[in-house]
Amino acid sequence: VDAMETRRVAGRIVPAMITTTAFVSAVSCLEYIKLVQGVPLRRHRNAFINLALPFFAFTAPLPAEEVRGFRDESYTLWDKIVLKESRKASENGGLKLQHVLKKLARTIDSDDPSSVEVTAINYGPYMIYADFLHGGDMEVLNKNIWSLIRESIQSGQAFDDASSRDGGLFGIGEDDDDDDGGNADNVAISLSGDDLAELSKADLTVMVEDMENGEEVELPPIQLIKFKHR
C-alpha cells in the first residue's frame, strides 16, 4: 500500500470515526449500562440513525421468541445449559460420554433423572451419540466426549472429501470459476482439524425423550467446557 492509498483510506475512516461510529458507541454504552443495572426490557431501545439526513428513531425491542422445551418449559435463543468438566474427570482421561448423559438427565429432572433419556447429541452437523446406535455400546459410552467429538469431525471430513469432486465441503468442481469460495471451504476444514487438539469448549445440540409420555424435544444449547489445567 503506497502513501496515497493510505491517505485515501484514512481520509474516509477519520470522519466516520468521529461521527457515526462515535454515536453508535455512545448509544451502545448506554444500553450496556441499562443491562448491568438490570432494568426491564421496555426501558431498552433499538436505535436507527442517519446523520446525513439527519434521522433519529428509537423503538422498544421485542422479547426473544420462546421455544417450547421439556415438559412445557420454554427457553429462548439466549438460554443455554453449561456443563463443566471437573478436575477429577480431566485427570481420569476426560469426561466420559456416559457421565455426560447422567449429568444432562440430572440437570433436566433432578428429582427423577430416570424419567429422561438422551436420544441424540450433535456437534454442529456431526453426530456424537444416538441411542439407537450407541445405547448399549460400552466402548463408546466409556470414551471421553472430547475424543468422540474429534472422531466425529474427522470422519465427517473424510466423508466430505470422498463425496466431493475437489475435496471441498460443498463439492465445488474443477470447472468452477469461484476459486476463492473453494479455497475458503478448504481452509475452514483444515482449521477445524488443526484446532481439535486445543478444543476447550463445545456447543452441543441435544434431543431428549420424556419417558413418561414418549415426547421427544430439543434442549437449549448445551455448552460443554473442558477443565483447564493451570
Side-chain angles (χ1 to χ4, degrees):
V1 179
D2 56 22
M4 291 301 296
E5 178 67 12
T6 302
R7 291 176 182 175
R8 185 185 68 80
V9 174
R12 294 181 179 181
I13 290 177
V14 173
M17 291 178 59
I18 62 176
T19 53
T20 306
T21 303
F23 191 102
V24 171
S25 299
V27 173
S28 299
C29 288
L30 289 175
E31 294 304 311
Y32 185 73
I33 292 173
K34 296 177 186 178
L35 184 65
V36 172
Q37 292 177 338
V39 301
L41 183 64
R42 65 177 182 275
R43 298 280 299 278
H44 289 273
R45 289 293 180 269
N46 293 321
F48 303 89
I49 62 172
N50 188 326
L51 299 183
L53 295 179
F55 173 80
F56 305 91
F58 296 88
T59 63
L62 296 174
E65 182 180 357
E66 293 188 347
V67 180
R68 182 173 175 274
F70 187 74
R71 291 180 183 168
D72 294 329
E73 293 183 358
S74 61
Y75 63 92
T76 71
L77 58 84
W78 300 108
D79 295 321
K80 63 183 176 182
I81 298 174
V82 178
L83 297 181
K84 294 183 179 180
E85 182 181 51
S86 66
R87 175 189 291 272
K88 182 178 179 180
S90 178
E91 293 174 348
N92 290 331
L95 185 61
K96 292 181 172 58
L97 174 60
Q98 60 178 333
H99 294 155
V100 172
L101 300 179
K102 292 178 181 178
K103 281 177 174 286
L104 287 170
R106 288 197 300 266
T107 301
I108 298 166
D109 191 343
S110 57
D111 296 329
D112 186 13
S114 61
S115 66
V116 182
E117 181 176 351
V118 178
T119 57
I121 300 177
N122 293 292
Y123 177 68
Y126 306 109
M127 184 178 69
I128 308 300
Y129 168 82
D131 61 338
F132 61 89
L133 290 176
H134 313 116
D137 191 342
M138 295 308 299
E139 182 180 354
V140 174
L141 293 174
N142 284 325
K143 281 188 176 181
N144 78 69
I145 187 70
W146 307 106
S147 295
L148 290 172
I149 292 174
R150 181 166 55 250
E151 292 173 6
S152 297
I153 294 175
Q154 290 172 341
S155 62
Q157 291 173 355
F159 176 80
D160 291 335
D161 291 342
S163 301
S164 63
R165 288 179 290 174
D166 68 338
L169 181 61
F170 299 104
I172 298 177
E174 294 179 355
D175 296 334
D176 288 331
D177 295 328
D178 189 4
D179 293 336
D180 292 337
N183 292 337
D185 294 334
N186 291 330
V187 167
I189 290 176
S190 63
L191 287 177
S192 64
D194 294 339
D195 291 341
L196 291 179
E198 302 298 328
L199 192 66
S200 60
K201 63 180 180 180
D203 293 323
L204 307 176
T205 302
V206 177
M207 300 293 296
V208 299
E209 181 180 352
D210 187 346
M211 302 304 292
E212 295 181 357
N213 56 27
E215 186 178 18
E216 189 175 36
V217 296
E218 182 178 339
L219 296 180
I222 308 296
Q223 187 173 77
L224 189 64
I225 300 179
K226 192 174 187 179
F227 180 81
K228 186 176 182 180
H229 294 274
R230 296 182 178 179

